[in-house]
Amino acid sequence: MFEDFTSAQIETSETVINLVYGGSGEPVLLLHGYPQTHVMWHKVAPMIAEQYTVVAPDLRGYGDSGKPAVDADPERYSKRRTAQDLLEVMSTLGHRSFHVVGHDRGARVGHRMALDSAERVRSFTTLDVAPSQAAFEAMDSSLAFAWFHWHLMRQPEPFPETLIGTNAKFYLDFLLERWTAVEGAITEEAYAEYLRCFSNPDTIRASCADYRAIDVDLAHDAADRGRKLACPVLALWGGNMAKRPGWQTGQGLDMLRVWQERAEDVRGRAIDCGHFLAEEAPKETAAEVLKFLDGCWADKD
């Protein structure tokens, strides 16, 4: 995986970020989700790198990136602080402005980054995510069932850490199976990396802290209520909901509409797959992203 990419670890003001980068052209930042790492992009990144410079990091707390202790700082794993890591990474690599493509947790980080640092984010692509504020304000029994992990991981330490850590492989396998609609989409090599990283007790600790930070994240969202993203937004989501009814939207939300309420220029559609678009439908996902990115740079010119 990532044979034509360069691996690096970059120190930021608060931690160390592990990443791969490759390709040439305008920069695109790919942000992974839970319970994965930058490896989730291994099918899509080479296709995007044919036209763009791709940077794919592990978020703080995940993969081989640093996992800072929370201590008495409830904002340590807020999306704002995670986004700051990545802004510093992109500056170190010489990229002042760039596109952001985020899946799951990465999309939440990307959304916050586009709000806080609009001058740096050229466009934002969200994969299979409804904005946190919209989802929590519309929480119903269907969404709560689909998001059981949110409610578990928000519980006080060390309750979720202990339950997940007792059999990390069992928990990981359940999530990957439940959220995947295309059989065999997650390769053995990618799965081995996910299991290696997810089995680290520090990853379990940090990922629980990431989910607990929702209270801080929602406070940040409340302060920005009504502000719309100025950059173009592409929303793609998995349309096969057979194994995950209620995912992201519950019974009351429409994925495209909730993003249109939060950005001036939104386009998007469902793709026939489950949660892991970049692995279940890599060619279709890459084609949609590339078409969108090409249009954004054309608009710039």
Side-chain angles (χ1 to χ4, degrees), residues 18 62 66 100 116 157 249 252 263 276:
N18 182 68
Y62 292 87
V100 177
D116 289 348
E157 187 179 7
T249 59
F276 302 108

Side-chain angles (χ1 to χ4, degrees), residues 14 59-60 62 68 70 73-86 105 108-110 112-113 116 206-221:
E14 292 193 346
L59 304 179
R60 70 160 60 187
Y62 292 87
V70 175
D73 184 356
E75 299 198 14
R76 184 63 55 84
Y77 283 89
S78 70
K79 304 308 156 286
R80 175 168 286 161
R81 295 276 277 278
T82 299
Q84 183 59 37
D85 292 337
L86 305 172
R105 309 306 287 170
R108 302 189 192 286
V109 174
R112 174 45 55 190
M113 184 187 297
D116 289 348
S207 59
C208 287
D210 176 24
Y211 276 81
R212 283 192 192 104
I214 184 60
D215 292 333
V216 174
D217 295 332
L218 289 176
H220 293 161
D221 290 345

